[in-house]
Amino acid sequence: MTTDVNTRVPVREQDAKERAHNFEEVCYGYNEEEAVCESTRCLTCKNAQCVKGCPVAIDIPAFIEQVKNQNFEEAYQIISRSSSLPAVCGRVCPQETQCEGKCIRGIKGDPVSIGKLERFVADWAREHGIRPEGPSSTNGKKVAVIGSGPAGLTCAGDLARLGYDVTIFEALHEPGGVLVYGIPEFRLPKEDVVLKEIDNVKGLGVKIETNVVIGKTVSIDELIDDEGFDAVFIGSGAGLPKFMNIPGEQAGGVFSANEYLTRSNLMKAFKEDADTPIYRGRKVAVVGGGNVAMDAARTALRLGAEVHIVYRRSEEELPARVEEVHHAKQEGIIFDLLTNPTEILADESGWVCGMKCIRMELGEPDSSGRRRPVEIPGSEFTMEVDAVIMSLGTSPNPLISSTTEGLEVNKWKCIVADEENGATSKEGVYAGGDAVTGAATVILAMGAGKAAAKGIDEYLRAK
């Protein structure tokens, strides 16, 4: 197999017409021959910019060199020293703006397909029973990690490798956080990928206790004072959905994307025989333009609806990954751009029957640097829909911060923590991920978890 050095090896995918009706994974990934061929495009830069673009600082040239030499096990161990979730990251990371966005190959052609190579290595390791290398010794120190999402799993994995006795406390009945409840099966398989990666973290010695709601079941102060934990990391995410606060938003058939995806992904509501079925609309509007909006829209499509993405800016400003927008369009999702809802209409039974909208145009840039959407007078119209999914972002649940003495939060109820090491205003308590930043990406949460693990290690060594 040969390829032009400026062109990446294409990735095989499930046909768009077929996948629009099932929840099987869209992307098939590379096989061995394709992975080795793609790896030969890497220039093995000495001052690798791709590593600087990776929030968890994987030694990218080193692992790709091992792929080139067909030493896949060593490639996996190199990745695992930096990342606890390589099979996840290979699927959902926005590589185009991170590692691949800085790839020197990308100056004159396609950047090296780093994400797909990472996925190949992780999948190969799983299929061949290869596990990450564990700690050589333990140090007797106990650390509690709150939340088993990407930040918590990363922090726990790194601390376990350093010899700490780590226990993760998860509020839900299954570990995985947003990886399990937020990202659909067709993008991130749960049993074959997420749960296997969690098993690898547990294989490092990490214990996971589910159905523990910090702030109700037990407090952070009790973990430290009564349970004997030497430090605590808060990686509880941001699960509190935001709404538009427009008239009619309380109507039946209006969902938050969080609820919709949790019911589908975690509770398997997409199955015909589900114990907790979800409403299968005929025409569904998804308000928002991020990755979560794409996930909700593509889920609704697979449940049989005609689906519209309603977004108040243009396609250029869509915050979702280019790949996710591309897949959504391929599958037949309709994009109503430069459109903003103003009211949700309900029928006599109180169920959604329509949504009033107004057309927008882009004005001057706002504080985010994006051009501000401005209403066009007289452009109002009504969209006939029987379900509306609001995907406008999320914020942290204030339960933990409100029940922890001395823990500082900002005006958005996010925990205030040092960017470099995750330290909060309370001694021995660290935080990272969406609980600190608000809703962001999986890999940024992992980077925060890694930084906090380093901060906790330095704190306990000094102590």
Side-chain angles (χ1 to χ4, degrees):
M1 185 176 186
T2 58
T3 184
D4 176 355
V5 293
N6 289 322
T7 305
R8 63 172 53 181
V9 174
V11 181
R12 292 164 290 114
E13 295 178 344
Q14 190 184 165
D15 180 74
K17 291 183 179 179
E18 291 181 13
R19 72 182 191 237
H21 303 288
N22 67 59
F23 280 80
E24 296 170 15
E25 190 168 15
V26 168
C27 179
Y28 294 135
Y30 285 149
N31 59 28
E32 288 190 18
E33 182 183 13
E34 291 164 342
V36 171
C37 185
E38 179 64 17
S39 70
T40 62
R41 299 183 57 238
C42 179
L43 297 169
T44 319
C45 305
K46 290 183 179 179
N47 183 23
Q49 298 301 304
C50 57
V51 178
K52 296 177 183 178
C54 175
V56 295
I58 293 171
D59 190 344
I60 293 167
F63 100 74
I64 292 180
E65 183 68 20
Q66 295 303 323
V67 173
K68 191 186 306 182
N69 296 332
Q70 299 184 48
N71 190 353
F72 306 133
E73 181 173 353
E74 180 57 26
Y76 176 71
Q77 297 300 349
I78 290 170
I79 296 172
S80 294
R81 287 167 202 148
S82 300
S83 174
S84 296
L85 305 169
V88 169
C89 290
R91 287 168 164 83
V92 303
C93 271
Q95 291 98 1
E96 64 276 8
T97 60
Q98 294 177 161
C99 54
E100 293 178 14
K102 293 185 177 295
C103 176
I104 300 301
R105 267 289 178 219
I107 295 174
K108 294 185 177 179
D110 295 336
V112 175
S113 192
I114 298 167
K116 297 298 187 290
L117 289 175
E118 181 183 18
R119 168 186 166 158
F120 163 76
V121 170
D123 287 354
W124 184 93
R126 182 183 69 249
E127 291 161 6
H128 290 78
I130 308 300
R131 306 287 290 268
E133 296 167 347
S136 56
S137 61
T138 57
N139 58 28
K141 298 288 187 182
K142 289 175 60 178
V143 179
V145 171
I146 301 170
S148 62
L153 289 169
T154 297
C155 185
D158 280 17
L159 287 170
R161 288 187 188 90
L162 293 169
Y164 289 92
D165 178 359
V166 184
T167 302
I168 295 177
F169 296 98
E170 169 57 48
L172 295 177
H173 62 285
E174 283 188 26
V178 70
L179 304 175
V180 168
Y181 70 74
I183 304 175
E185 192 80 14
F186 53 81
R187 274 220 296 142
L188 186 62
K190 305 301 174 259
E191 289 189 16
D192 290 342
V193 177
V194 177
L195 297 185
K196 293 293 172 57
E197 301 249 273
I198 292 172
D199 282 342
N200 284 342
V201 174
K202 291 163 71 175
L204 298 171
V206 174
K207 298 178 285 293
I208 301 179
E209 293 188 22
T210 56
N211 298 309
V212 179
V213 181
I214 301 299
K216 282 197 174 292
T217 311
V218 64
S219 70
I220 287 179
D221 292 318
E222 288 170 336
L223 289 175
I224 296 171
D225 298 336
D226 301 335
E227 302 292 334
F229 285 97
D230 299 288
V232 175
F233 171 73
I234 304 171
S236 50
L240 199 61
K242 297 177 182 178
F243 288 88
M244 293 187 71
N245 297 317
I246 58 176
E249 215 167 17
Q250 301 303 316
V254 178
F255 303 89
S256 71
N258 258 35
E259 177 194 354
Y260 193 82
L261 290 171
T262 298
R263 287 166 66 85
S264 179
N265 301 331
L266 182 64
M267 304 167 77
K268 309 302 179 188
F270 64 85
K271 294 183 177 179
E272 294 287 350
D273 59 349
D275 293 332
T276 55
I278 197 167
Y279 179 69
R280 294 168 180 257
R282 296 186 311 277
K283 186 172 180 179
V284 176
V286 178
V287 182
N291 290 324
V292 176
M294 300 303 145
D295 286 343
R298 295 172 71 195
T299 296
L301 180 82
R302 284 159 171 77
L303 292 173
E306 175 188 309
V307 184
H308 293 245
I309 291 279
V310 179
Y311 182 62
R312 62 182 186 154
R313 288 184 166 95
S314 70
E315 183 168 349
E316 210 170 280
E317 285 80 27
L318 279 169
R321 292 184 67 191
V322 172
E323 181 180 61
E324 299 309 314
V325 175
H326 172 66
H327 282 157
K329 285 183 174 180
Q330 277 186 324
E331 292 165 7
I333 287 169
I334 300 160
F335 283 72
D336 291 309
L337 303 173
L338 290 168
T339 301
N340 202 39
T342 58
E343 182 180 354
I344 294 170
L345 306 175
D347 59 22
E348 292 179 357
S349 70
W351 195 267
V352 172
C353 65
M355 185 169 71
K356 287 186 177 180
C357 301
I358 189 167
R359 300 292 184 191
M360 312 291 283
E361 60 184 357
L362 296 180
E364 295 301 313
D366 60 17
S367 57
S368 71
R370 296 183 299 174
R371 293 172 65 193
R372 185 187 301 276
V374 179
E375 293 182 353
I376 300 175
S379 64
E380 297 86 352
F381 70 99
T382 299
M383 180 183 292
E384 183 185 337
V385 294
D386 61 351
V388 177
I389 302 171
M390 292 293 182
S391 182
L392 306 168
T394 54
S395 59
N397 189 313
L399 179 61
I400 290 176
S401 58
S402 65
T403 57
T404 305
E405 192 72 31
L407 191 63
E408 183 184 352
V409 297
N410 61 24
K411 63 180 180 180
W412 299 284
K413 305 300 182 185
C414 294
I415 297 168
V416 176
D418 190 291
E419 288 185 15
E420 296 296 321
N421 62 13
T424 70
S425 56
K426 187 175 179 69
E427 184 181 352
V429 177
Y430 291 71
D434 291 1
V436 171
T437 61
T441 62
V442 167
I443 190 63
L444 289 177
M446 290 177 63
K450 178 172 282 293
K454 185 173 182 290
I456 290 170
D457 179 51
E458 291 173 349
Y459 164 72
L460 292 179
R461 287 178 183 276
K463 188 176 179 182

